Amino acid sequence: MREKMQRVNLSTVSEFVFVGLSDAPEIRLLLFVLFLLLYLATMAGNLTLLVAISTDSHLHSPMYFFLGNLSLLDLLCPTITVPKMLGALLLEHKKISFSACLFQHFSLIAVVGTEILLLAVMAYDRYVAVCHPLRYPSIMSTKLCAQLAAGTWATGLLNSLLHTSLVFTLSFCGPNKIQQYYCDIPPVLVLSCSSTHSRELVILAVAGVLGSSACVVTVVSYICILLEILARNSPGIWHKAFSTCGSHLTVVCLFYGTTICTYVRPSFTYSPHRDRVVSMLYGMLTPLLNPIIYSLRNKEVKCALERVISYVRRALAGQENIAQSPPSAG
């Protein structure tokens, strides 16, 4: 018994190794360029939206306040996972320490959980704006908006703390190859050498309640919006509403569907190849699409961006004029 405990202690995992997306150098280089371009485009889109919302007073409303929070989450989500993946593709740096894996896992689950709840809050905000326009300013007050945003972030962090503590207090004393390009719940759970059944039940219950509740609020809000618009009997408004709500629901369903598919299921159903594709959809594609779907098609945002660009050009032109002006005679 003592010898067995010593062997277990000696073989306790201190680092994990990611299984790469491909072993072929040519494919790795192609994937590196592709994911780098996607990452840069995601950063540019969400940063641009954040700058426009924070600097333009015309966008200081509840809807754009929540959009700003969404853009911040969409900056954080790929930043937590993509740089490490790019390093593995280009330099084959596939190892990650136990503590770094824990931090990556905590950060990602916090961001994903917060975004799930925030999308529900945003759907409710649109429901109040469309179905109760006269009461909208009093219902969606500054105080309530701040409380809703703080509540989503706090709940996301607490949810992540629970999930991370359940996963990383398990024993890891055997294989250390993670069948994924980042530290996620399903591929880490399968590496544990202790029983995970009871902890999986808790994870499934918590994730199921939060995910299904947010999904129900979002779907019901959009159904009420569509019913309200149909009742107005205006084909022009119908077309615009279906176009807007349809694009919103497409991205929301993509995000909800992929995250629920990843986290609300037993670990024995884990499929490395399928889960890599699914995780890329919510980890890379939706952060890229959100600023386009929610904002860059919006006339107010376009006008705000034009004002920001015009201001930056004037500032740069002023700096050039100062640099080119001759020094005054003493």
Side-chain angles (χ1 to χ4, degrees), residues 12-28:
T12 298
V13 171
S14 60
E15 66 179 15
F16 295 102
V17 179
F18 297 123
V19 174
L21 297 176
S22 174
D23 292 328
E26 299 83 3
I27 296 178
R28 284 207 312 269

Side-chain angles (χ1 to χ4, degrees), residues 282-298:
Y282 74 79
M284 297 185 67
L285 184 60
T286 52
L288 175 65
L289 293 177
N290 277 339
I292 300 171
I293 297 297
Y294 278 99
S295 305
L296 298 182
R297 294 174 59 188
N298 185 303

Side-chain angles (χ1 to χ4, degrees), residues 9 62 73-74 104 116 124 167 178-179 181 270 326:
N9 287 334
L73 290 168
D74 286 339
Q104 186 186 61
I116 287 173
Y124 173 73
V167 172
I178 297 178
Q179 299 290 329
Y181 63 90
Y270 176 67

